[in-house]
Amino acid sequence: MRLLYGVVGEGMGHAMRSQVVLESLFAQGHDVRIVASGRAASHLERLHPGRVLRITGLQLVYRDNMVSFVRTMLANLRSVASVPTNLRRYLETAHDFQPDVVISDFESWSYWFARGMQIPIISVDNMQIIDRCHHDPRLISDHRRAFRVARSVVRNKLPKCNAYLVTTFFDAPIAKPRTRLHPPILRRVILDAALRVRAGSHVVVYQTGTSHDALVRELKAVNAEFRVYGLRRDLTEDQVEDNLTFRPFSEERFIDDVATARAVVAGGGFTLMTECIYLGKPMLSVPVVGQFEQILNAEYLQGLGYGRWAARVDAAGVRRFLDEAEACRERLREFRHDHNAGFFADLDQTLQAAEAEGALSP
C-alpha cells in the first residue's frame, strides 16, 4: 500500500512516536513517503533519507516556560514566504506518488492533501483526546477557557478523518465515533530500558524553557542529587555545582539516568511523561504556560497518583514531591502496557478498512 505519513514539526514527541510507527510500516512492505517540517523533518530525514518531503510548518516560540505570542506571531509571519514551496510539494506528490491512504500525526499539510485528492485519512496522535473524549469536570474546572480554546483548535485541525487512533496513559469515556484509545506508543529503547529499572538516589531534571538562575537556585536548596539536562546545551562534558550535575544530552545516558532515577522533574509533554510512567518513575510535571494539552496531561498524572504537578519549580514543592515519591511508585505499578501490540493490530485493520471505504464526504 502507498502511504503518505504527515508529522507535525512542533516538538520532537510526534516525530519519536511516528518513528516507531514508520518502522513497522516499512517492515510490512508499505511504500511510505513522509511529510514533515522543522526538527521533525531533520530527525526523520536522518533515519529515512530520500523518503521525506520537507515543508514549512507553523511553530511556537517559548520564553521562561511559556509561549511567547509576539515572537510566535513574528516567526510564523516569516513562514508566509514558504507557501509557494508547500504548494509545489503538493503538486509533486499528487503527480509522482498518489498515495492510497494518508496518516497524520496532527499535521495539517498531509490532511489537506488527503481532502483535496479525496484520499482516506487516519489520525494517529495523543492530541485528539482533548476533543474526542469526555473529561472529569473537576480536572478542568480551573482551566475552562484554555480547555475551550484547545478543544476548538484540535476539533478543527483534522476533522472528519476515517478513524482516530488516540494514544493515552489514562482512560476517558469516548465522546465521538470512529475513535479508539491505545496505550502510548513506546520506542524499543524504552521497552528495553525496563530491564534496567531500579530506584536510585538521583533525580533527573529536564527543563528547557525555565529561567536558568531561578531553577538552579531552587534545586540547590533541596537535599538531593540532581542530574540536569537541557539547561546548558553547549556542554561537552559533565559540570558539577554542589548537588547538581549538568549533563550534555546523550539519548543513551539520559534514558539510563531515567531508568535508574529516584524521580523525574520535567515539563508536561506527552512523550517523556509516558516513558516515565512505563518505567515506573514518579514525575513532578511543570507544564508550559499556555499549553493546555500539557496541563491536561499533568492533571491526569496527579489524579492517577503517578506524580504531581506545579506551575513552577521551587524548593518546597520539590521536597514535598520527593516525600510522596514512594506512594507514587506504588500507584505506577498498576500501569499496564501491551508493548504496542494492540495499536499495530488496530492500525493494520484500519488501513485496510480505510482503503476499502474511501475518503469521507466533506
Side-chain angles (χ1 to χ4, degrees), residues 91-150:
L91 297 174
E92 290 170 350
T93 304
H95 181 268
D96 299 335
F97 187 53
Q98 299 177 358
D100 301 305
V101 179
V102 171
I103 302 173
S104 176
D105 190 326
F106 211 60
E107 198 283 313
S108 296
W109 188 98
S110 55
Y111 171 82
W112 287 111
F113 178 87
R115 301 301 286 179
M117 300 300 294
Q118 297 185 325
I119 298 170
I121 181 164
I122 300 168
S123 168
V124 175
D125 66 41
N126 62 292
M127 302 290 291
Q128 293 294 334
I129 203 163
I130 295 174
D131 175 55
R132 306 192 72 83
C133 288
H134 295 292
H135 300 283
D136 187 334
R138 292 172 296 180
L139 290 178
I140 60 176
S141 60
D142 294 333
H143 321 286
R144 288 191 183 93
R145 182 177 181 276
F147 171 62
R148 288 194 295 269
V149 171

Side-chain angles (χ1 to χ4, degrees), residues 6 31 42 48 86 109 179 260 278 325:
D31 185 5
S42 300
H48 307 289
N86 286 359
W109 188 98
T179 305
T260 58
Y278 174 73

